[in-house]
Amino acid sequence: NAGVMQNPRHLVRRRGQEARLRCSPMKGHSHVYWYRQLPEEGLKFMVYLQKENIIDESGMPKERFSAEFPKEGPSILRIQQVVRGDSAAYFCASSPRSGIDTEAFFGQGTRLTVV
Amino acid sequence: GIQVEQSPPDLILQEGANSTLRCNFSDSVNNLQWFHQNPWGQLINLFYIPSGTKQNGRLSATTVATERYSLLYISSSQTTDSGVYFCADFTQGGSEKLVFGKGTKLTVNP
């Protein structure tokens, strides 16, 4: 049973370009969470999605950032017009359900570098 | 929302030593998890432990939900134990999401 798969592992973008980060949850998991980790810091929640629904995007910047989890295919975190401050590691986690008695598993992350 | 505090923030050990890492929560514990982020940045699930005690090799964890804390024990530490240890819990009510502490950075020297 494959774990949470994120790609690419490393992504370099010039300022002003778009970055697309992909996350395929574990088999049987329909809940996806995106987190951002700045160097030497903890993980900050960005967005929580279920299939075709954004449940909570309270941690995501209002501009330039968007996320989706379509009925088919991976979840996508999209960053438009990237700036140097977007450089970070972006982690995706999945779980089979929400609420109590739920364990989340993380992918290996995508390290975004904006030059 | 729930606040998660971890201590100590940094810990340096000699190989073979034992250590205890602590996680305090401001609210009731729901789905507590411990993770190890290795020097390559990978997040590895260590324990899912909403309550009680679990052991896995040299690692064990105890959560006392009524007192809102959890402990991670590392015995006979090895250099490969180095990295950052995070605890996290799902918030309850409304949207559930994992809230992380700031981590304990562990360095095990040979």
Side-chain angles (χ1 to χ4, degrees):
Chain A
N1 187 13
V4 179
M5 304 300 291
Q6 289 189 248
N7 66 82
R9 292 286 306 280
H10 301 274
L11 183 62
V12 180
R13 284 287 178 265
R14 295 187 182 280
R15 280 179 295 173
Q17 290 185 320
E18 178 180 286
R20 281 188 177 232
L21 288 62
R22 295 175 186 78
C23 170
S24 295
M26 287 179 71
K27 188 176 181 181
H29 288 195
S30 58
H31 298 251
V32 166
Y33 312 81
W34 285 93
Y35 288 78
R36 177 164 63 177
Q37 185 178 34
L38 295 171
E40 305 296 320
E41 292 190 11
L43 282 84
K44 302 294 185 188
F45 168 79
M46 298 183 72
V47 60
Y48 163 33
L49 310 104
Q50 295 177 23
K51 286 282 187 181
E52 301 185 279
N53 282 306
I54 297 175
I55 306 302
D56 182 349
E57 55 182 349
S58 60
M60 201 154 66
K62 294 284 187 284
E63 296 182 354
R64 302 188 298 108
F65 285 72
S66 63
E68 62 176 8
F69 188 16
K71 186 176 180 181
E72 302 290 337
S75 175
I76 306 286
L77 179 67
R78 183 182 177 204
I79 310 172
Q80 295 178 290
Q81 299 175 339
V82 296
V83 299
R84 289 230 172 102
D86 297 333
S87 295
Y90 292 83
F91 289 92
C92 163
S94 74
S95 67
R97 55 191 172 275
S98 63
I100 294 176
D101 193 27
T102 298
E103 185 175 4
F105 294 86
F106 281 81
Q108 292 184 310
T110 293
R111 276 138 191 91
L112 173 66
T113 303
V114 180
V115 297
Chain B
I2 191 171
Q3 304 292 319
V4 182
E5 289 188 9
Q6 289 190 244
S7 60
D10 294 277
L11 188 57
I12 300 174
L13 300 174
Q14 286 301 124
E15 204 167 22
N18 303 327
S19 62
T20 301
L21 283 57
R22 186 179 178 105
C23 194
N24 288 332
F25 297 87
S26 61
D27 206 341
S28 58
V29 176
N30 300 308
N31 289 8
L32 193 140
Q33 293 185 239
W34 282 98
F35 299 90
H36 174 216
Q37 187 168 39
N38 64 24
W40 295 271
Q42 293 178 295
L43 273 169
I44 299 163
N45 286 43
L46 295 178
F47 293 102
Y48 168 66
I49 184 165
S51 63
T53 298
K54 289 186 179 179
Q55 179 150 11
N56 184 3
R58 296 181 295 103
L59 301 181
S60 64
T62 294
T63 296
V64 183
T66 53
E67 297 188 21
R68 302 177 180 176
Y69 74 88
S70 184
L71 303 173
L72 178 70
Y73 306 96
I74 305 174
S75 63
S76 304
S77 57
Q78 300 176 359
T79 55
T80 51
D81 295 331
S82 295
V84 183
Y85 290 81
F86 291 102
C87 60
D89 194 18
F90 269 96
T91 58
Q92 196 173 10
S95 151
E96 287 89 8
K97 53 184 177 274
L98 268 178
V99 176
F100 281 79
K102 293 185 177 180
T104 292
K105 184 176 181 180
L106 174 65
T107 303
V108 181
N109 292 320

